[in-house]
């Protein structure tokens, strides 16, 4: 009996002392962060399972981050319109005017849109600050591995203030 208690205590202490890998796919509720490459120069293919992105379109991914360049009028400065889309065949639910912390349950399946892609409704431009901001939406992805990551776009700028870098926070529901 003493031996069994000792083994159980050692096992419990070992389990408690183990660090959780930040890229594990069982991080339900834990807020993760990711910053993309500059999408003005390369498209990024992002996978929630590894919390990582790649510029290789054959890489395992759930979301594609990119930008579309356009010039509104001759002589006007170019604009890089930030966009993202879900991987072909997957679906996403859009929860408008929501905070990530408030999302704890997977939306009804009827709310998911297959082959979702953002258009101009995901961003707005502030004329006072001259920056692009994301609306306060939460996107919930129905991934091929049966998990439901929810994410928000927190910023579209890198640490130096250069536009073209999606910064997201996400968690599994």
């Amino acid at each position: 009996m003493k031996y069994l208690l000792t083994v159980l205590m050692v096992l419990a202490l070992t389990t408690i002392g183990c660090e959780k890998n930040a890229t594990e796919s069982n991080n339900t509720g834990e807020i993760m962060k990711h910053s993309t490459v500059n999408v003005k120069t390369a498209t990024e293919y992002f996978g929630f399972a590894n919390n990582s992105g790649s510029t290789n379109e054959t890489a395992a991914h759930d979301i594609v981050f990119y930008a579309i360049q356009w010039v509104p009028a001759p002589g006007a400065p170019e604009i890089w319109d930030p966009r993202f889309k879900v991987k072909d065949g997957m679906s996403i639910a859009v929860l408008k005017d929501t905070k990530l912390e408030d999302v704890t349950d997977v939306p009804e399946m009827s709310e998911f849109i297959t082959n979702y892609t953002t258009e101009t409704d995901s961003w707005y431009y502030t004329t006072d600050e001259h920056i692009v901001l994301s609306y306060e939406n939460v996107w919930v992805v129905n991934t091929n591995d049966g998990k439901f990551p929810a994410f928000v776009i927190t910023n579209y700028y890198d640490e130096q203030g250069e536009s073209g870098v999606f910064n997201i926070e996400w968690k599994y529901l």
Side-chain angles (χ1 to χ4, degrees), residues 1 7 17 29 121 170:
M1 182 70 158
V7 170
D121 68 336
W170 68 275

Side-chain angles (χ1 to χ4, degrees), residues 46-58:
F46 174 75
F48 290 102
N50 296 319
N51 192 33
S52 66
S54 172
T55 56
N56 180 351
E57 70 182 283
T58 62

